[in-house]
Amino acid sequence: MAFCHESYRPFEVTVQRDDELATIMVRGELDLATVPQLSAAVAEHSDASLLVLDLTAVTFIDTTGVRVLIQADRGCARSGSRLAVLAGDGPVRRLLALCKLDGRLALATEHPSPAAQPDAGAMTTRPMLKGLDG
């Protein structure tokens, strides 16, 4: 009998808060079972002027994870704050491209600073997401 020796990486959400900047780092699989942890962290830090979702260590994302990103984007737009998503080159970036959200969410290639305005090299523009009820 063969055993799989791959190590299981548990889901983890960690937050770094520095005044008006909140960085939420997610590791592992973002799916129906784990989305509530990310949603809670986003809600807890919704008062930040800049909310960064670092998803570079996410190994899997499903549509419930995408829904949280859309809800976070809408919440930031309503409150006048900014959202930046660090998607990396893995499953998050691929799914956002497949859903055609890579041009709608503010995807950052590097961690933005709270005082800096997004520029064309570091972030994409973010029109309002319409027609995606959340």
Side-chain angles (χ1 to χ4, degrees):
M1 181 190 302
F3 290 97
C4 179
H5 292 289
E6 290 184 38
S7 61
Y8 174 73
R9 295 184 64 179
F11 184 77
E12 183 177 64
V13 174
T14 56
V15 179
Q16 291 181 342
R17 182 72 188 246
D18 183 23
D19 294 325
E20 295 300 310
L21 168 65
T23 302
I24 300 174
M25 294 157 289
V26 181
R27 184 181 77 152
E29 296 185 357
L30 186 55
D31 58 20
L32 183 62
T34 58
V35 154
Q37 290 174 285
L38 178 56
S39 294
V42 168
E44 184 177 339
H45 297 281
S46 63
D47 62 330
S49 331
L50 175 59
L51 180 62
V52 178
L53 298 180
D54 184 345
L55 306 179
T56 55
V58 170
T59 56
F60 172 82
I61 182 171
D62 69 5
T63 56
T64 59
V66 172
R67 184 179 186 98
V68 169
L69 300 180
I70 292 169
Q71 291 171 336
D73 182 67
R74 287 183 173 166
C76 286
R78 279 192 299 271
S79 69
S81 61
R82 293 187 303 141
L83 172 72
V85 178
L86 296 173
D89 292 327
V92 174
R93 171 84 59 178
R94 286 191 300 272
L95 185 58
L96 293 178
L98 183 64
C99 295
K100 301 201 184 299
L101 293 172
D102 54 341
R104 294 177 164 245
L105 295 173
L107 299 182
T109 54
E110 58 188 43
H111 196 292
S113 67
Q117 293 299 318
D119 62 86
M123 289 180 133
T124 59
T125 57
R126 175 184 59 85
M128 287 296 294
L129 297 171
K130 295 182 181 177
L132 299 170
D133 294 327

